[in-house]
Amino acid sequence: MAEIGIMQIDSSQSHLEVVDLLLRGASLTEVLDSVCTTIDTLTPGVCCCLLLADPSNSWLHCGAAPGMPDEFREIVDRLPIAPEGRLYGTCGWNQCRLLVEDIFLHPELEKFYPSFRQVGLAGCWCDPIVDGAGRLLGVYAVHLPPSANFDDRLLPQGARLARFALERAELLKRKGQSQRLLEQAYKMTDMAVCFCDGLKPRAPVRMVNHSLCLLLGGSQDDWLGLPLVRLLPDVADLLDPVVRLGQSTAVTRGQRLDGSTFPCEIRLTAVSDDFDKTTYLLAAMVDISRRIEVCHSERQIEARFRRIFEEVPHIAVRGCAPDGSVRFWNSASERLFGYSANEVMNCRLPHGSESGPTQSNEYELLRKDGTPVLVFGASVAISTPGVGLEVYTLEVDLSPLKEAEKERIQLLQLLLQAQKLEALGQLTGGVAHDFNNVLATILGNIELARQEMSPALLDEMQMSAERAQELVRQMLLYSRPSRSRPKATFLQEPIQEIYRVLKAVVPSSLDLRLNLDHDTPSAVFDPGDLHQILTNLVINSRDALQGQGVIEVGLRLVNPNPPMVCSSCLATVCGPHVEVWVEDNGPGIDEAIRGRLFDPFFTTKGPSKGSGLGLAVLHRLVHERGGHVVVGRGPGAHFSVILQLAKERAQAAPPPTSCGQPLVLIVDDEPMLAKMLGKLVKTQGYDVQVFTDSLAAWTEFCATPLRYAALVTDQTMPGKTGEEFARDALKIRPDLPIILCTGFSEQIDADSARAMGIRHFLQKPVKPAVLFETLAAMIARP
């Protein structure tokens, strides 16, 4: 076995060389390379290396290995410090010496084989480098030739030299940091700084900066030599953490040169010399008087707002932790939910009473007694120092508001109906005149028929009766409350019907004209509402013209350019719309009253001649459907109702198809009418079964429901109404064709009848031709 010679390392000389390198500004890598080179020179044939531990003592990385190849440095970089740390890492983990005479006998060290072969080495001695506090600084290793006899006295000497180099480098680093700290502290403009000799309360002040003089008064010369306790009366209580930990931060009293004191935040830092001996104390202080005042003011504000939240009468305020436990519960929350603050504080609310963070929204919660309550709530998350995150929710009980809204809607509906009835009163005179003419015609023809029976007389009576029927239908349509939803509607036919009714209202001295563009597309509007609007506008024009003039009602498609402006809501109207207008050649509208046209109860008519509701109702009906009203400027008055185009074109109902058997069941509690209907239906080749008792008819139907091809029933009957008869019959025969006839009913209309499955809804008196056509279409239905 080859002997490796060893020379004793001169400790003092080597240490001086290390210090000299550090003082000359050499890097730590250069210093450690020098240490390894010194060992390699004194012991020919070996290669030393230094692996340094990271601050967390988790990894090793190469500090110096001047005699080893670059591949070796890459392998040992980020080598884990662990029980299985591959030689060097294991030595650092156990913090004890480790010897491997031949790494080629250890397969777990296979990754080191190429590096060791390249320099002709095989053995390795490792020693941990540990500071005085037992902290691992790194691993010192000596790599040996194969079968070498190594004197292990060299290993601790090299480790001690490496430790000395690392510690000196750390001290110089800290000294540089301390020096920079002193220089920066002295230049601080926002912090008062002084330096004292030693860590004693009466240590003399050696240096102060300008900011300290501004804070405490006096000049720098006034403070030099005074004891530290003069400017920090309670400093004795703060020095113990500085002795143990090197620094301390606290809130204490500061004392000015005139003897007055103030609250301050102080940071004390011990500063050491080259040999890690504490030589002086750095004290930095900040006046926190303003901060304390702000905190006190914030506490007062918090207390004031807390009191507001606690006592606000109609807004429930609750604060909850992230886990849902209640931290704040005001008196309004107690009234709204029924839980007292003592019941819910620091507890989660029962299921159904809790609500998570929410934007402004309506939702339903449960009271203590289990009853639901609709609330409007909004939440906000607040993070407070010392308290953490809290979610505060403000909630308002919507029950009174919903009730008030319901009452408002009911009152508004009554108002609309009252205005409609007022306009109906305006129609009464003209309609009564026409109706009397019709009756006179019928009565006269009846008298003539007694003298001579002529088909021409019967035709005239039928035409007069149909005219009376049409007048009654129009009046009923106008007077009953509208319950239909607006839908895509071609307005040409409704306007023509309204025109026929209004002709009776307008005196013959006035020229009422109709101007319809029959190519106008459908609009979204309710024909019943349109009837009310046009009646109001035409009556207003009639009253303004005072017996002489022209009134025109029109319909067309418009695409305003430039855009029009709504006279009631001032919105801009552009793009294609359907326009319904009423204009006259009267005196027009005074500019002074244009701004009040749509105010409720505003009228220019005399007492007992108008309620002032017509245009206010017009404004509401039109704007509810997304439309607008434009009042033109003279001559005369011009009102344009601008309606939205329907997205889908209005469509007619699909043609009916045929059904089964020819027996028709007729039910009507009026004997003469029931008998007449039976005779009429028989003339069309159907078999009929006539009942004037709805309960008897129902018994017969239930016995043999498949016999009947169709059902014709009155609505208003004792025992079982037509609606009830039809509903129960459809449960037995869902395919049964049904015609429901009524003179007038508040309970059912055409829409609700169709929704039930009733195929046809006919208004009495029913024309025989209409009845025949309807029956033929239904019974032909498969």
Side-chain angles (χ1 to χ4, degrees), residues 4-9 38-40 42-44 46 48 97 125 127 140 142 144 150-161:
I4 294 182
I6 178 170
M7 297 179 62
Q8 184 69 27
I9 298 177
T38 299
I39 303 298
D40 291 350
L42 294 175
T43 311
V46 303
C48 299
R97 185 174 299 173
W125 290 56
D127 222 22
Y140 169 72
V142 178
L144 313 172
F150 178 63
D151 189 334
D152 61 0
R153 288 176 296 169
L154 186 62
L155 202 58
Q157 293 182 34
R160 284 194 294 271
L161 183 59

Side-chain angles (χ1 to χ4, degrees), residues 256-334:
R256 299 183 180 90
L257 192 64
D258 61 7
S260 61
T261 60
F262 61 94
C264 67
E265 185 177 47
I266 186 75
R267 181 180 180 88
L268 302 175
T269 304
V271 183
S272 305
D273 62 4
D274 290 352
F275 300 97
D276 210 15
K277 302 284 184 160
T278 300
T279 56
Y280 50 88
L281 180 70
L282 167 64
M285 68 175 69
V286 177
D287 185 357
I288 60 172
S289 302
R290 178 59 182 163
R291 188 193 309 172
I292 292 176
E293 291 177 3
V294 170
C295 290
H296 179 67
S297 176
E298 288 177 350
R299 283 194 295 269
Q300 288 181 326
I301 293 173
E302 179 184 357
R304 184 164 63 251
F305 277 101
R306 177 173 287 270
R307 184 175 178 184
I308 292 173
F309 284 147
E310 286 175 346
E311 298 182 5
V312 64
H314 302 300
I315 301 177
V317 183
R318 53 193 172 97
C320 297
D323 63 357
S325 58
V326 177
R327 293 183 177 175
F328 182 83
W329 189 263
N330 72 344
S331 56
S333 297
E334 294 181 346

Side-chain angles (χ1 to χ4, degrees), residues 556-569:
R556 64 187 173 191
L557 176 68
V558 294
N559 190 358
N561 186 18
M564 295 186 291
V565 177
C566 178
S567 300
S568 57
C569 71

Side-chain angles (χ1 to χ4, degrees), residues 422 426 543 601-612:
E422 178 197 347
Q426 299 278 353
D543 295 343
F601 307 108
F602 174 75
T603 179
T604 58
K605 300 178 183 180
S608 303
K609 292 185 178 181
S611 64

Side-chain angles (χ1 to χ4, degrees), residues 487-499:
K487 55 187 177 182
T489 306
F490 289 109
L491 300 181
Q492 289 87 343
E493 183 176 345
I495 292 177
Q496 287 175 334
E497 292 182 358
I498 297 166
Y499 173 78

